[in-house]
Amino acid sequence: MSKEVEIVKREGIVTLSESNYHADTVADVPSLSSSIAKILCAESPLHAWTAHPRLNPNFVREEKEIFDLGGVAHALMLEGEDHACVLDYADWRSKDARQARDDARAMGRTPILTKHWNRVQAMIKAGKDQIAAHREAKDAFLEGNGLPEETLVWTDDHGVVCRARPDWIKNGKKRIFDYKGTGTSVNPESLGRFAVSQGWDIQSAFYLRGIQKLFGIDAEFFFVAQEDYPPYALTVAGMPPPFRWIGDKKVQMAIDLWAQCLESGKWPAYSDRIIYPDLPAFVEAAFLEKELKQQ
């Protein structure tokens, strides 16, 4: 554990600033997070190496310059609106505006332009109202009812150090809630494809492993997904058995691959063999339909 980072441990939970968490200061060796596990599964070890702050000496965490309503709502939903720093500039292009923005971030606050503040408030209010009216998840993000953004650090059975930062661990540690603000529809009837594309199966499986390893609890994981456009509709989604099964398989693959690469020091990119892509079924179907019409 880095001696330069002041941490407080209690019951397997580490209190750590967001910046130190993302810098991976939790152990003496590089640790695996769910975001890196997603990259290992979807891309390659070299992509994971490039995205890791402890492995890539040129790593710089990107801060979004464009307004991200979902990202801002995430910060304020968990930390409260007092966490916001509303700045009266037209945009971030001037030197003074950028300095004020950077100063706010350095103080651990979320910088927001005045022109966006009403939208942020509307989204948060709509989200809280819908959560409060929810029949099964009204206990999400309630002050005093759980721990927001605490860090879990554990060592996998294969010796891999893992870290996670759940948005909300409910008291008793039997429920985890993760807030997602998005510009994509979260209509329950079409949520499956979006969930897979965002790696929800991997994230939920990864976090639940941490809870099981640290506390011996078989917890439940729920995504609180909210659209970032009016009427700011919200869906609370758990992971059904097929998602949990494939998520566990992907996480184990990522852990095995991570261990191999750390031990060998080799972080390969894509295959070093010639590949032959599968022809998408819709391409063949479209061509056959066109061919029939021309007969």
Side-chain angles (χ1 to χ4, degrees):
M1 193 74 66
S2 172
K3 296 180 180 179
E4 299 177 0
V5 180
E6 183 178 354
I7 62 172
V8 178
K9 279 189 174 182
R10 63 183 185 281
E11 298 181 355
I13 293 176
V14 178
T15 297
L16 197 65
S17 70
E18 182 180 7
S19 60
N20 281 326
Y21 174 80
H22 289 296
D24 188 21
T25 60
V26 301
D28 293 330
V29 296
S31 67
L32 179 65
S33 66
S34 67
S35 61
I36 296 296
K38 292 176 188 178
I39 295 173
L40 282 167
C41 291
E43 297 177 82
S44 76
L46 185 58
H47 289 83
W49 180 95
T50 303
H52 200 284
R54 291 279 297 278
L55 295 174
N56 180 3
N58 298 317
F59 175 84
V60 177
R61 190 177 178 218
E62 293 185 8
E63 297 284 359
K64 293 183 178 179
E65 299 296 324
I66 61 173
F67 177 60
D68 177 9
L69 179 58
V72 172
H74 178 277
L76 304 190
M77 180 71 78
L78 299 176
E79 301 290 342
E81 293 187 15
D82 291 342
H83 186 72
C85 182
V86 184
L87 300 172
D88 193 17
Y89 295 96
D91 50 48
W92 301 121
R93 284 180 286 188
S94 72
K95 181 179 179 180
D96 287 346
R98 292 196 299 272
Q99 185 61 56
R101 178 196 62 195
D102 294 344
D103 289 344
R105 288 173 176 168
M107 293 187 294
R109 301 178 70 188
T110 301
I112 305 168
L113 295 173
T114 301
K115 64 183 179 181
H116 297 315
W117 182 231
N118 287 340
R119 278 190 70 197
V120 172
Q121 289 181 303
M123 183 174 176
I124 293 173
K125 182 180 185 306
K128 288 184 175 180
D129 287 347
Q130 290 171 79
I131 292 172
H134 201 280
R135 287 188 287 180
E136 297 178 284
K138 61 179 60 180
D139 56 345
F141 313 129
L142 286 178
E143 186 175 353
N145 195 38
L147 296 173
E149 297 194 296
E150 296 284 8
T151 297
L152 306 178
V153 181
W154 70 97
T155 301
D156 183 81
D157 293 339
H158 291 67
V160 171
V161 177
C162 300
R163 77 183 193 277
R165 191 176 174 87
D167 284 351
W168 190 269
I169 305 175
K170 189 177 181 297
N171 291 341
K173 305 178 185 68
K174 292 186 177 181
R175 279 188 162 194
I176 298 176
F177 290 99
D178 192 84
Y179 178 81
K180 304 288 189 187
T182 176
T184 301
S185 170
V186 294
N187 186 328
E189 295 180 3
S190 57
L191 195 59
R193 184 182 295 273
F194 177 69
V196 171
S197 72
Q198 298 299 302
W200 288 8
D201 51 343
I202 296 174
Q203 182 182 351
S204 59
F206 192 88
Y207 282 33
L208 291 177
R209 279 193 179 210
I211 294 291
Q212 172 57 232
K213 184 69 174 178
L214 290 170
F215 312 112
I217 294 173
D218 292 324
E220 295 180 282
F221 192 105
F222 301 97
F223 291 96
V224 181
Q226 184 180 14
E227 296 164 355
D228 66 5
Y229 51 88
Y232 307 112
L234 177 148
T235 293
V236 180
M239 295 289 96
F243 273 79
R244 295 200 298 269
W245 179 83
I246 194 68
D248 279 332
K249 292 289 187 182
K250 289 179 180 179
V251 168
Q252 190 59 58
M253 182 179 75
I255 288 174
D256 292 343
L257 194 52
W258 180 260
Q260 292 170 16
C261 291
L262 277 181
E263 183 177 357
S264 68
K266 298 179 180 179
W267 300 84
Y270 296 132
S271 174
D272 59 359
R273 305 291 296 271
I274 295 173
I275 63 100
Y276 297 88
D278 293 328
L279 180 69
F282 75 88
V283 174
E284 182 180 8
F287 177 79
L288 292 175
E289 182 180 1
K290 184 176 181 180
E291 188 178 44
L292 287 172
K293 289 179 179 178
Q294 292 178 346
Q295 291 180 357

